[in-house]
Amino acid sequence: MKLVMAVIKPFKLDEVREALVGLGLQGLTVSEVKGFGRQKGQTEVYRGAEYEVHFLPKVKVEVAVEDSMVDRVVETIRGAALTEKIGDGKIFVLDVLKAVRIRTGESDSQAL
């Protein structure tokens, strides 16, 4: 099993969710996060005063999948989140050693 974690632009969340549901995924976790990469923040104006924003709002999407689904999930997220502009985000794939559904006690792929 793998955990696919994607940090994307917030306005792309609905497109990513719909695309993942279209693959047959039944659940995912979403967190509002802040960060920066090559964007290095941005300068904004509020009431005539300029100030720098060092951390930009992003959304982190996490989904646990079986190994056979990883490439399709990664490409689906990439396609749905793509704007071809700086700050589109990153996708990370991590190993999952164990998963347990709390309610039923099912484990590993049955818990997904």
Side-chain angles (χ1 to χ4, degrees):
M1 294 177 301
K2 304 288 186 198
L3 179 67
V4 179
M5 180 176 29
V7 179
I8 62 172
K9 292 182 175 183
F11 68 88
K12 290 301 233 169
L13 177 59
D14 285 336
E15 290 177 54
V16 169
R17 185 193 57 79
E18 290 171 10
L20 290 173
V21 168
L23 279 182
L25 296 179
Q26 296 182 4
L28 54 90
T29 301
V30 175
S31 306
E32 291 181 8
V33 297
K34 291 183 179 189
F36 73 91
R38 291 185 178 153
Q39 285 175 292
K40 305 275 192 270
Q42 61 191 24
T43 302
E44 294 193 5
V45 178
Y46 179 71
R47 293 189 177 183
E50 261 189 31
Y51 65 98
E52 287 187 29
V53 177
H54 296 286
F55 294 98
L56 299 174
K58 300 288 182 180
V59 173
K60 181 167 65 170
V61 177
E62 297 171 299
V63 59
V65 297
E66 294 189 40
D67 291 347
S68 61
M69 292 277 300
V70 170
D71 291 334
R72 285 189 296 179
V73 168
V74 168
E75 283 307 310
T76 298
I77 293 171
R78 184 178 178 275
L82 182 66
T83 67
E84 295 185 359
K85 293 186 174 33
I86 193 166
D88 274 353
K90 298 268 189 314
I91 301 172
F92 304 96
V93 179
L94 308 157
D95 286 323
V96 174
L97 302 178
K98 184 146 188 85
V100 177
R101 180 171 291 151
I102 294 172
R103 180 178 55 87
T104 62
E106 294 170 300
S107 62
D108 300 329
S109 60
Q110 287 79 33
L112 301 180

